[in-house]
């Protein structure tokens, strides 16, 4: 008995609940890749802040000229006089501090743009996580449905084996024609093939789930004990307020507005300040070359203003404005699509709940019909073909009811996920132990 329990241990270890599967979505390689891109955007945002700070540059240069620099003096009535004006060797060292005092808001806009891109990348990670939750949920429900189909086929196999054994006894006693026995035997093979197909379908879905989570999943533990109460207005409001994809589009709109500000900054002059400690000489000591003063330090300011460049700035600004308008329209359209998808999701859930009631009644009816047909067959009042059909119909009804239960669970989770990751984790996973 202990050995048998040890053999079952791996299956028990890998039977995962829905909460565990959702938690393991964090292992998805696609999510890890998105987080790395998020970190890259964060670093770019931090780098952009440096544009608003003074820049400090140190420089040291050395040059060896081929000829000694000279200057020629032309004195009327006298021959020209040539004299050296510098040495062949020149060393220069400087420490320069510069600061963009005013750039037409270009620096501020570029910093804002980088910040919004980081926020957008963060929201895209959450939206990817939401979509991976959706994939995991659908695969979880599909695996459960496939397992229930597999179990229903196994129950049908037991019933057909029982029917075959009784039919064989009747046949051996000359009370059943060969055709009826062969009919039941053929149905046995058909059900065996269906069992293999159902198991293959289940294994394929488990492989997809394992790929998504980046670790093996052997089986799932299904529980449909979820609240079916939905406040449509509350969920719709939460979706428009909390959905990560909508928030990401809003950040994209802010990025476009930053680009618009950048384009508009070309209309303004730029003002820069600079101060430099600079020395030069004919040796690395930078103590002069005997011709010019060694200390060439200075403080200065520069103003630059482009007055005309062929209307390029104007057209660039207009292009940025149209892009902002297009993004605004796209955002409104996307919100309307979210509203429509949520309304359709509620309608689909209501239809599934109605179908489940019908499917349960069908299971009940098929079960009674199977019992009736089985009794009639044992008393030679029903054919083997009738009994085979009754077994198949009961199996199909059970599989159908289980599939609808899985679909309802999936649809409930989908509705909460359509409201956003935080709403889903707080409402649909109340027993989640994640920190």
């Amino acid at each position: 008995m202990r050995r048998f329990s040890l053999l079952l241990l791996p299956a028990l270890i890998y039977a995962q609940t829905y909460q565990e599967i959702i938690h393991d979505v964090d292992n998805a390689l696609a999510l890890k890749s998105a987080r790395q891109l998020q970190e890259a955007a964060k670093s770019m945002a931090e780098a952009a802040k440096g544009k608003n700070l003074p820049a400090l540059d140190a420089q040291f240069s050395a040059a060896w000229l081929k000829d000694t620099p000279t200057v020629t003096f032309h004195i009327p009535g006298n021959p020209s006089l040539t004299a050296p004006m510098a040495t062949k060797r020149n060393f220069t060292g400087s420490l320069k501090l510069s600061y963009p005092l005013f750039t037409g808001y270009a620096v501020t806009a570029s910093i804002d743009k980088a910040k919004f891109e980081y926020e957008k990348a963060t929201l895209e990670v959450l939206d990817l996580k939401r979509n991976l939750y959706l994939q995991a949920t659908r695969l979880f429900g599909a695996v459960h449905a496939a397992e229930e189909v597999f179990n229903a086929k196994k129950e049908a196999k037991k019933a057909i084996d029982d029917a075959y054994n009784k039919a064989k006894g009747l046949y051996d006693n000359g009370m059943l024609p060969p055709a009826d026995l062969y009919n039941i035997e053929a149905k046995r093979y058909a059900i065996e093939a269906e069992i293999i197909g159902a198991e293959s379908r289940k294994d394929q879905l488990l492989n997809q789930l394992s790929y998504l989570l980046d670790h093996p999943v052997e089986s799932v533990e299904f529980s449909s004990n979820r609240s079916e109460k939905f406040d449509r207005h509350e969920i719709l409001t939460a979706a428009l307020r909390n959905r990560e994809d909508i928030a990401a589009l809003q950040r994209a709109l802010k990025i476009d507005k930053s680009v618009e500000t950048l384009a508009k900054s070309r209309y303004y002059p730029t003002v820069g300040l600079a101060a430099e400690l600079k020395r030069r000489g004919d040796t690395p000591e930078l103590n002069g070359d005997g011709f010019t003063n060694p200390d060439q330090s200075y403080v200065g300011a520069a103003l630059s203003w482009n007055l005309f460049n062929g209307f390029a700035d104007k057209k660039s600004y207009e292009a940025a404005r149209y892009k902002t308008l297009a993004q605004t329209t796209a955002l409104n359209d996307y919100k309307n699509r979210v509203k429509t998808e949520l309304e359709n999701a509620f309608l689909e859930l209501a239809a599934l709940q109605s179908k489940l009631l019908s499917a349960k009644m069908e299971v009940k009816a098929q079960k009674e019909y199977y019992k009736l047909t089985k009794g009639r067959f044992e008393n030679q009042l029903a054919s083997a073909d009738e009994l085979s059909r009754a077994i198949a119909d009961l199996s199909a009804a059970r599989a159908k009811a289980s599939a609808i239960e899985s679909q309802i669970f999936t649809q409930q989770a989908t509705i909460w996920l359509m409201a956003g990751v935080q709403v889903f984790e707080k409402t649909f996973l109340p027993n989640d132990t994640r920190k």
Side-chain angles (χ1 to χ4, degrees), residues 29-42 125:
L29 297 180
L31 192 58
K32 292 179 180 179
S33 174
R35 283 175 176 151
Q36 290 164 351
L37 292 176
Q38 176 192 359
E39 289 299 317
K42 181 180 179 181
V125 169

Side-chain angles (χ1 to χ4, degrees), residues 78-103:
N78 294 287
S80 299
L81 178 64
T82 301
M85 61 174 294
T87 59
K88 287 185 177 182
R89 293 189 306 174
N90 290 278
F91 296 89
T92 304
S94 66
L95 186 64
K96 182 178 181 181
L97 180 69
S98 57
Y99 180 69
L101 185 63
F102 180 71
T103 60

Side-chain angles (χ1 to χ4, degrees), residues 102-121:
F102 180 71
T103 60
Y105 311 106
V107 170
T108 303
S110 62
I111 292 173
D112 289 343
K113 179 175 178 288
K115 181 186 73 171
F116 294 141
E117 285 175 345
Y118 167 57
E119 292 176 357
K120 180 172 176 283

Side-chain angles (χ1 to χ4, degrees), residues 41-232:
K42 181 180 179 181
S43 297
M44 292 300 295
E46 293 294 331
K49 292 179 181 179
K51 296 179 181 179
N52 207 28
L53 298 174
L56 184 63
D57 299 293
Q59 182 180 7
F60 182 85
S61 63
W64 285 263
L65 304 179
K66 179 181 179 182
D67 297 321
T68 300
T70 60
V71 60
T72 301
F73 299 97
H74 298 281
I75 303 173
N78 294 287
S80 299
L81 178 64
T82 301
M85 61 174 294
T87 59
K88 287 185 177 182
R89 293 189 306 174
N90 290 278
F91 296 89
T92 304
S94 66
L95 186 64
K96 182 178 181 181
L97 180 69
S98 57
Y99 180 69
L101 185 63
F102 180 71
T103 60
Y105 311 106
V107 170
T108 303
S110 62
I111 292 173
D112 289 343
K113 179 175 178 288
K115 181 186 73 171
F116 294 141
E117 285 175 345
Y118 167 57
E119 292 176 357
K120 180 172 176 283
T122 302
L123 291 165
E124 285 174 345
V125 169
L126 291 174
D127 188 53
L128 174 61
K129 189 176 184 180
R130 186 179 69 87
N131 282 288
L132 292 175
Y133 279 177
L134 278 169
Q135 292 182 40
T137 298
R138 288 165 183 165
L139 285 171
F140 177 84
V143 168
H144 170 68
E147 287 181 342
E148 290 301 309
V149 169
F150 178 69
N151 294 333
K153 296 299 180 184
K154 289 198 295 184
E155 290 294 325
K157 179 65 167 55
K158 292 179 183 178
I160 203 70
D161 285 343
D162 183 58
Y164 178 78
N165 291 333
K166 291 182 178 178
K168 186 68 167 59
L170 293 172
Y171 172 77
D172 290 341
N173 291 306
M175 301 173 65
L176 190 73
D180 282 356
L181 181 65
Y182 297 154
N183 189 315
I184 293 179
E185 189 172 7
K187 192 62 181 178
R188 287 178 68 195
Y189 287 115
I191 291 177
E192 287 176 356
E194 291 173 357
I195 289 174
I196 294 173
E199 187 173 23
S200 174
R201 172 62 178 164
K202 180 190 70 172
D203 290 341
Q204 290 175 32
L205 291 167
L206 285 171
N207 285 339
Q208 292 180 41
L209 189 57
S210 299
Y211 162 74
L212 177 65
L213 304 182
D214 197 33
H215 72 74
V217 180
E218 300 293 332
S219 63
V220 298
E221 181 182 334
F222 183 81
S223 173
S224 60
N225 185 22
R226 290 289 187 278
S227 172
E228 298 182 10
K229 296 180 180 180
F230 294 98
D231 186 325
R232 295 192 180 197

Side-chain angles (χ1 to χ4, degrees), residues 378-394:
E378 291 173 353
N379 290 291
Q380 297 184 323
L381 297 175
S383 67
D385 184 59
E386 288 179 284
L387 179 60
S388 297
R389 283 201 304 269
I391 293 172
D393 290 344
L394 176 58

